[in-house]
Amino acid sequence: MPHIRVTVDGVRYDDQVEARQLLTHYLRERLGKVGTPIGCDTSNCGACTVLMDGLSAKSCSVLAAQADGHDVTTVEGLASDGEWHPVQRSFHENHALQCGYCTPGMIIATIDLLRENPDPSDEEIREGLEGNLCRCTGYANIVRAVRDAAAQMRASGTAPRFVSEPGTGVPRQAAGEGEPLRPAARGGAA
């Protein structure tokens, strides 16, 4: 079995994992991070989206072994000192959650979107979240929440908060680099 060292929500884990175990199953079953739901299990719905080194990734399409040496942030790791992340707060305040199943993935994808584009238009928001599906079709409130979160993050200067160099935890801006390392996991929303 592969041995991995992974940091999840700021906590480092050294674990043996099955070679074929998906990251989403590792997070939920081994670490108890049940805030990352398993949706389609085929990378179509985006419910299981997490941040890997600050970039969104659908955890049902990543092997746990591939997370070795990386920093993973789940929706459970976003709040700090009892305060919700601005995107979490905006989703709540704008009623952007109906059944809530897609919400963790939508929130994580939004953080990645706002990292790339801190002032997106409605069209850019829809395009940026197209890999995350809402089965309740509550897209109007989701777009409103993203726009509101973007404004809050620009005003407070928190937009680059989760951008870090892989495996270092060092903010990319501090390292002097501004481009994404790889394209974010995306798909298609209405």
Side-chain angles (χ1 to χ4, degrees), residues 102-182:
C102 71
T103 304
M106 288 284 187
I107 287 172
I108 295 287
T110 296
I111 291 169
D112 191 28
L113 169 67
L114 297 180
R115 177 190 56 78
E116 292 180 2
N117 182 356
D119 191 14
S121 66
D122 286 2
E123 182 179 333
E124 290 168 330
I125 292 168
R126 290 181 184 280
E127 182 178 320
L129 298 180
E130 67 181 355
N132 293 74
L133 304 177
C134 171
R135 62 186 179 188
C136 304
T137 67
Y139 294 108
N141 288 350
I142 290 170
V143 170
R144 185 177 314 118
V146 173
R147 198 175 37 220
D148 183 53
Q152 289 180 38
M153 292 172 73
R154 283 192 314 274
S156 67
T158 58
R161 183 171 155 188
F162 294 99
V163 179
S164 64
E165 291 299 316
T168 66
V170 176
R172 183 174 299 146
Q173 285 188 331
E177 189 169 320
E179 293 300 316
L181 297 173
R182 61 176 171 73

Side-chain angles (χ1 to χ4, degrees), residues 25-133:
H25 295 284
Y26 173 75
L27 293 171
R28 292 179 58 84
E29 296 162 12
R30 181 79 61 92
L31 304 185
K33 299 289 184 181
V34 295
T36 301
I38 299 170
C40 63
D41 223 7
T42 59
S43 77
N44 287 312
C45 76
C48 67
T49 304
V50 297
L51 294 175
M52 281 187 66
D53 300 324
L55 302 175
S56 65
K58 294 177 179 176
S59 62
C60 74
S61 66
V62 177
L63 295 171
Q66 292 175 304
D68 182 36
H70 293 278
D71 293 318
V72 176
T73 303
T74 72
V75 72
E76 295 170 69
L78 296 177
S80 149
D81 297 326
E83 295 287 326
W84 283 349
H85 184 279
V87 175
Q88 291 174 301
R89 189 174 45 252
S90 184
F91 269 64
H92 175 73
E93 291 173 353
N94 287 283
H95 309 287
L97 11 122
Q98 291 184 33
C99 80
Y101 206 82
C102 71
T103 304
M106 288 284 187
I107 287 172
I108 295 287
T110 296
I111 291 169
D112 191 28
L113 169 67
L114 297 180
R115 177 190 56 78
E116 292 180 2
N117 182 356
D119 191 14
S121 66
D122 286 2
E123 182 179 333
E124 290 168 330
I125 292 168
R126 290 181 184 280
E127 182 178 320
L129 298 180
E130 67 181 355
N132 293 74
L133 304 177

